[in-house]
Amino acid sequence: MDMMKIGFIGLGVMGYPMAGHILKSGYPLYINTRTKEKASGLLEAGAHWCENAKEVSENADVTITIVGFPQDVERVYLGQDGLLEGAHEGSLFIDMSTTKPSLDIKINKELRKKGARLLDAPVSGGDVGARNATLSIMVGGRKDDFDKVLPLLSVLGKNINYEGEVGSGQHTKMANQIVIAGTMIGVSEALVYAKKAGLDLELMVKTISKGAAGCWTLDNLAPRVINGDFNPGFMIEHFVKDMRIAIEESRAMGLNLPGLRLVEDLYEKLAEEGMGKNGTQALTKAIEELSGVSEA
C-alpha cells in the first residue's frame, strides 16, 4: 500500500493541505491544477506534475479529486483529456468533492466500462480539518475498495465511515450540510443577540460551548466572527451549491425542509451582494442587516 501511486486534482483551500499530507506520508504523488504556480510548494517537495487530468490517471493507482462544483467534477472526469480517458483496469478514483449523488453514480458507471471504479467520499471539517488531517470522511462504493484505500484516507481524516453503495457518501454529506445550515444560523443569531445585549462575546461563547449548545461551528467559526475574520474556511458560494443540491434531493424524495430553505435564501442574498468568496461565518452579516444592527 505504501508504494501505491496517488493522483490528486483540486489544490484549493482544502485540497492543497490534503495533498501535502499524502506527500509527507511517502506516497508518490501526481498532480494537476489549472494554475501550475499554485502547486509550486508541492512540486518542490517532490510531487510529479501532469499536464492534464488524463495524465494523472494514467500514472496513478488511486486518484483523488476535490473540486468546487458539479460541472467541475464532470469536466475533470468526463471532459476532454479527463480522468476517464486515462483510467485503466483496476484503477480507483475517490471523489472527495461535494456533488450530486447522481453524478458520481454516472461517473462510476463510465469508469466501470474500463475496469475502474469510483468511491464517493465527501468530507467535513473545513480548512481546519484539512490542515490538521482531522476530516470526517463519508464513503460510498464497494466495501472492498473502501478497505483498500482506508490507510490512505486515514492520512487525511480521523472519522472515516463506510456508508453504503456509490452515492451514499454524497447523501450523508447532504445530511451533514443540513445540520451545518441550522447550526450556522443559530450561532450567527446568538452572536448578534449577545452583542446587542452588551455581553462579552468571547466569554459568552466560552460559556455556552461547554453546554448543550456546544458544536464545531461555535468552537471554530464564532471566534472568527468576533475577530472580524470572514476569510473562507469554506466559501459561501460553495455552501450555496451544497444547499441547492440538498434541496433538490429532498424535493425528489418528497420532503419539505423549511429551515434549510431559509438559510439558503439568506446565503443567496449575501452572494448577490458580492460576498460569495467569504467564509460561511459571514452569515452574521445577513442577520445584522435583517436586525438593523452594526457588525458583530
Side-chain angles (χ1 to χ4, degrees):
M1 183 67 186
D2 286 348
M3 295 308 295
M4 186 174 288
K5 293 182 289 186
I6 309 302
F8 204 104
I9 293 179
L11 301 176
V13 172
M14 302 281 289
Y16 191 95
M18 292 166 69
H21 293 315
I22 292 171
L23 194 59
K24 289 175 185 176
S25 296
Y27 291 97
L29 186 66
Y30 296 81
I31 60 176
N32 172 262
T33 189
R34 279 182 282 193
T35 307
K36 187 175 180 179
E37 288 72 23
K38 290 184 178 180
S40 59
L42 294 170
L43 295 173
E44 290 169 5
H48 304 278
W49 175 254
C50 298
E51 291 300 326
N52 51 44
K54 176 184 176 182
E55 190 176 325
V56 171
S57 55
E58 285 175 338
N59 281 281
D61 301 305
V62 177
T63 299
I64 293 172
T65 54
I66 181 163
V67 295
F69 295 90
Q71 59 265 33
D72 299 318
V73 176
E74 187 159 20
R75 173 184 54 79
V76 164
Y77 278 93
L78 305 180
Q80 184 178 356
D81 294 324
L83 292 171
L84 179 64
E85 292 186 16
H88 47 87
E89 182 76 30
S91 57
L92 288 176
F93 296 83
I94 307 174
D95 184 21
M96 304 187 85
S97 318
T98 297
T99 190
K100 297 178 181 179
S102 58
L103 177 57
D104 275 341
I105 291 169
K106 172 185 174 182
I107 291 169
N108 184 53
K109 288 180 179 178
E110 294 301 315
L111 288 170
R112 289 184 65 180
K113 294 175 184 178
K114 302 192 72 172
R117 290 189 298 275
L118 178 81
L119 293 167
D120 63 308
V123 302
S124 180
D127 61 329
V128 176
R131 290 196 305 270
N132 296 335
T134 56
L135 293 167
S136 290
I137 306 175
M138 44 217 89
V139 188
R142 281 180 40 162
K143 182 61 164 58
D144 57 336
D145 291 336
F146 169 79
D147 292 336
K148 182 177 181 180
V149 301
L150 184 56
L152 172 63
L153 295 178
S154 297
V155 171
L156 305 174
K158 298 298 182 186
N159 180 33
I160 306 167
N161 292 289
Y162 176 71
E163 308 294 342
E165 62 187 18
V166 174
S168 299
Q170 298 295 349
H171 280 302
T172 304
K173 181 60 183 290
M174 289 303 106
N176 182 85
Q177 301 306 72
I178 291 167
V179 171
I180 287 176
T183 55
M184 187 64 71
I185 193 169
V187 169
S188 297
E189 290 184 344
L191 288 167
V192 173
Y193 175 92
K195 182 174 183 182
K196 190 69 173 179
L199 298 181
D200 179 319
L201 296 187
E202 291 184 0
L203 179 59
M204 180 276 291
V205 169
K206 178 182 177 182
T207 301
I208 71 171
S209 66
K210 304 304 179 185
C215 62
W216 187 95
T217 302
L218 197 59
D219 291 340
N220 291 276
L221 297 185
R224 297 190 189 188
V225 175
I226 293 170
N227 293 326
D229 178 5
F230 297 101
N231 290 319
F234 190 58
M235 288 185 189
I236 286 174
E237 63 182 27
H238 290 158
F239 193 42
V240 168
K241 175 262 297 183
D242 293 355
M243 287 186 289
R244 285 174 180 168
I245 294 172
I247 290 170
E248 181 181 317
E249 293 292 331
S250 64
R251 284 176 176 163
M253 292 185 280
L255 300 176
N256 180 19
L257 305 179
L260 177 63
R261 289 189 286 107
L262 170 62
V263 178
E264 194 271 342
D265 183 62
L266 291 171
Y267 273 117
E268 286 272 15
K269 288 182 171 61
L270 288 175
E272 290 170 2
E273 293 171 7
M275 297 179 63
K277 301 292 185 185
N278 285 40
T280 51
Q281 68 271 24
L283 183 61
T284 52
K285 292 183 177 293
I287 305 301
E288 289 162 355
E289 287 180 13
L290 286 173
S291 303
V293 299
S294 60
E295 293 185 0

